[in-house]
Amino acid sequence: MKPTWIEFAKERLGRGHRIAAILMGAVLIANAANAQPKPKLIPAWDASDETNVERIDHGSWQNLLDRYLRVHSSGINRFDYAGLKASAKDTAGLADYLAHLQKLDPRNYSRAEQKAYWINFYNALTVQVVLEAYPVDSIRDISDSFLGGLMFSGPWEDVVAQVAGLDLTLDNIEHGILRPIYRDNRIHYGVNCASLGCPNLLPTAFTAANTETLLDTGAREYVNHQRGVDFVDDDFIVVSSIYEWFVEDFDGSEEGAIKHLIQHADKELAERLRNFEGSVEYDYDWGLNQP
């Protein structure tokens, strides 16, 4: 998930970085309609073998989570990028894990196995992308493209992997595979964009056996945390921009997003949301989720 171009403009101009008005306008116009990618299936990945009971080993990723993920008292899990970057052994371990995943063809596995594969792959790739650029203040500061770097667009459209001979970007995995194939809005609680405003990077690697439980856990943790829903008062709430950017995944409306929040909210929060008739604002913290 990535910030809108309007947000880029506000931030950069607000900081005194004056980009030529014509260039800014052209970019804004060209990208306004697609500020956030829609789920659009990449047909090449729409295949599976439901007879295959083989399991993909994510033990290496679990080892890295055990070593470098910090469950923080704020309720926002942090990843120790500095610690990982300082360990040649574990940096190599991450590279080996990603190389292992890229040697596989996930289409040879069941849908359930693929779901875990793609979520872990996305999260491990994101850590690697941050690690290669670290230290950075935000994942938005990272991009391989000149224009993208100039506009602080982040790495989501950069090619970061190749599977079965096909190049892959982070956007491909999230919006071309996970969202359109599974049609599961809990995917947003599984993939992590290395930001404080994002749902937690969970301390357990996804597997075919635990994916549904972990997605429910991620949804519950996020919705019941202040960055998911924050009641400023009885007539005003601030909710995560996720529910605005990807509103089509939540029945296409603010009302649908509220219903989704109620579904995963604790009893007290759910009751407040059911009775809420005030105004809604959206917010997101793009600061890096480091300790």
Side-chain angles (χ1 to χ4, degrees):
M1 58 192 71
K2 57 190 177 184
T4 66
W5 289 90
I6 296 295
E7 287 176 323
F8 298 152
K10 286 180 178 178
E11 178 174 328
R12 302 313 295 163
L13 292 175
R15 290 182 180 180
H17 295 263
R18 305 298 179 182
I19 300 172
I22 294 176
L23 175 60
M24 175 69 80
V27 173
L28 289 174
I29 291 171
N31 291 279
N34 291 309
Q36 290 298 327
K38 305 292 185 182
K40 184 177 181 181
L41 177 66
I42 300 174
W45 297 109
D46 190 17
S48 66
D49 181 356
E50 300 305 316
T51 67
N52 185 2
V53 297
E54 186 179 353
R55 297 292 177 247
I56 298 172
D57 183 10
H58 297 288
S60 295
W61 177 232
Q62 184 62 64
N63 289 337
L64 291 170
L65 291 172
D66 290 344
R67 287 175 179 267
Y68 298 103
L69 187 68
R70 308 286 183 254
V71 177
H72 197 269
S73 59
S74 68
I76 305 176
N77 292 351
R78 317 298 176 102
F79 195 89
D80 185 4
Y81 301 100
L84 177 54
K85 191 159 188 172
S87 171
K89 177 181 178 182
D90 288 337
T91 299
L94 174 60
D96 289 344
Y97 172 66
L98 290 171
H100 166 64
L101 294 187
Q102 290 175 86
K103 289 177 182 177
L104 303 176
D105 188 335
R107 295 169 294 189
N108 294 331
Y109 296 84
S110 68
R111 286 291 195 207
E113 199 66 36
Q114 288 182 39
K115 195 174 187 180
Y117 167 94
W118 288 119
I119 294 174
N120 288 331
F121 197 14
Y122 185 101
N123 291 338
L125 282 170
T126 298
V127 167
Q128 185 187 54
V129 165
V130 173
L131 202 66
E132 290 175 348
Y134 193 82
V136 290
D137 294 326
S138 170
I139 191 172
R140 293 189 304 174
D141 299 346
I142 306 169
S143 180
D144 284 343
S145 62
F146 172 74
L147 183 59
L150 177 67
M151 296 299 295
F152 280 57
S153 62
W156 294 280
E157 294 182 8
D158 297 338
V159 174
V160 291
Q162 187 179 83
V163 175
L166 300 174
D167 288 343
L168 283 171
T169 69
L170 291 171
D171 270 359
N172 289 158
I173 295 173
E174 182 177 5
H175 310 300
I177 300 172
L178 283 168
R179 288 176 68 203
I181 287 178
Y182 295 98
R183 295 291 174 180
D184 181 352
N185 55 29
R186 296 174 305 158
I187 290 295
H188 296 292
Y189 306 112
V191 295
N192 181 269
C193 65
S195 301
L196 296 172
C198 188
N200 278 333
L201 178 59
L202 295 176
T204 303
F206 284 79
T207 67
N210 70 18
T211 292
E212 302 310 306
T213 298
L214 289 182
L215 290 177
D216 279 340
T217 297
R220 188 168 56 252
E221 287 183 356
Y222 191 68
V223 169
N224 291 286
H225 189 271
Q226 201 169 12
R227 70 198 191 282
V229 183
D230 182 14
F231 264 89
V232 179
D233 56 44
D234 289 338
D235 299 315
F236 177 47
I237 61 173
V238 179
V239 301
S240 170
S241 296
I242 288 173
Y243 306 113
E244 180 181 34
W245 294 333
F246 304 110
V247 66
E248 65 187 273
D249 293 348
F250 303 97
D251 294 333
S253 69
E254 191 167 271
E255 292 76 13
I258 297 297
K259 287 180 181 178
H260 170 85
L261 296 174
I262 292 171
Q263 179 184 356
H264 296 284
D266 291 341
K267 185 176 180 180
E268 181 179 348
L269 176 59
E271 188 62 26
R272 292 190 76 181
L273 287 168
R274 287 191 191 97
N275 296 322
F276 179 71
E277 296 180 350
S279 59
V280 179
E281 293 277 341
Y282 298 91
D283 192 29
Y284 200 83
D285 185 347
W286 283 103
L288 191 68
N289 63 338
Q290 58 187 331

